[in-house]
């Protein structure tokens, strides 16, 4: 429904089943159905739901897809959508936002503006994850949202328990 909503609003999109949905299960290479779209000269924006800030696996998927797309000659960018916020009187919380949520609540123009601000993927998957995490934390702080749900989600996902390629060091240096 996310890709359909985008296409109905003249935002070209392909929906994947899960963030690793671009992979062919048998070969672990790009799914053959995507070959015509992941081709030299194309610009691809890998847009993911706002909960990417609490799930390192989403950054890993985006980073891997970026490597495949660049090998095929594409210009690749990734975007973790910003969360929506609910509540008031000091009880604001971040709420997961998907492509269709942004279009319905904020308009197709806002979605296009976010896509235009997508950034190239540099460094490793942990660098991407930390960038998304810091962006989300900054938005939460600016909105006066309670940081405890975000911190709880991060702890629940176990990011700091996983072997990472420098992620913990990056978080400490960035903080």
């Amino acid at each position: 429904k996310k890709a359909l909503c985008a296409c109905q609003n003249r935002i070209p999109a392909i929906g994947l089943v899960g963030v690793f949905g671009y992979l062919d299960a048998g070969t672990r290479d790009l799914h053959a159905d995507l070959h015509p779209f992941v081709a030299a000269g194309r610009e691809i924006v890998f847009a993911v739901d706002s909960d990417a800030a609490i799930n390192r696996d989403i950054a890993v998927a985006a980073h891997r897809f970026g490597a495949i797309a660049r090998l095929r000659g594409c210009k690749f960018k990734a975007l973790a959508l910003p969360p929506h916020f609910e509540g008031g009187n000091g009880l604001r919380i971040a709420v997961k936002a998907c492509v269709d949520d942004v279009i319905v609540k904020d308009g197709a123009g806002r979605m296009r503006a976010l896509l235009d601000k997508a950034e190239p993927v540099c460094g490793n998957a942990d660098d991407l994850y930390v960038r998304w995490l810091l962006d989300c934390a900054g938005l939460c702080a600016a909105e006066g949202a309670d940081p405890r749900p975000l911190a709880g989600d991060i702890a629940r996902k176990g990011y700091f328990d996983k072997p990472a390629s420098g992620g913990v060091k990056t978080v400490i240096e960035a903080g």
Side-chain angles (χ1 to χ4, degrees):
K1 74 175 186 156
K2 298 171 191 180
L4 176 61
C5 182
C7 290
Q8 288 174 333
N9 284 277
R10 295 194 166 110
I11 300 170
I14 296 174
L16 301 175
V17 179
V19 293
F20 288 99
Y22 58 87
L23 291 174
D24 180 288
T27 65
R28 303 296 294 164
D29 194 7
L30 183 68
H31 195 286
D33 290 347
L34 295 175
H35 286 191
F37 305 101
V38 184
R42 292 245 183 178
E43 178 175 293
I44 296 174
V45 177
F46 193 82
V48 297
D49 301 345
S50 63
D51 64 344
I54 59 164
N55 189 339
R56 179 181 173 271
D57 292 340
I58 296 172
V60 170
H63 190 268
R64 286 183 186 166
F65 187 81
I68 292 169
R70 284 189 301 276
L71 284 172
R72 296 178 65 83
C74 297
K75 181 178 178 184
F76 182 83
K77 298 178 179 181
L79 170 70
L81 294 171
H84 280 116
F85 294 92
E86 294 180 353
N89 300 328
L91 299 175
R92 293 183 61 74
I93 58 167
V95 178
K96 179 179 175 177
C98 308
V99 168
D100 54 333
D101 297 321
V102 172
I103 292 170
V104 170
K105 292 181 181 177
D106 305 327
R110 169 75 171 141
M111 187 66 224
R112 285 187 195 91
L114 289 168
L115 290 168
D116 287 343
K117 292 181 180 178
E119 297 180 7
V121 175
C122 301
N124 61 37
D126 289 327
D127 295 329
L128 180 60
Y129 172 74
V130 170
R131 184 175 84 203
W132 287 346
L133 175 59
L134 292 175
D135 287 349
C136 184
L139 288 171
C140 289
E143 286 285 331
D146 184 350
R148 291 174 293 191
L150 178 62
D153 285 339
I154 294 164
R156 182 177 50 81
K157 291 285 185 179
Y159 171 68
F160 295 104
D161 297 335
K162 295 180 181 177
S165 57
V168 174
K169 181 176 184 247
T170 305
V171 169
I172 292 169
E173 289 175 356

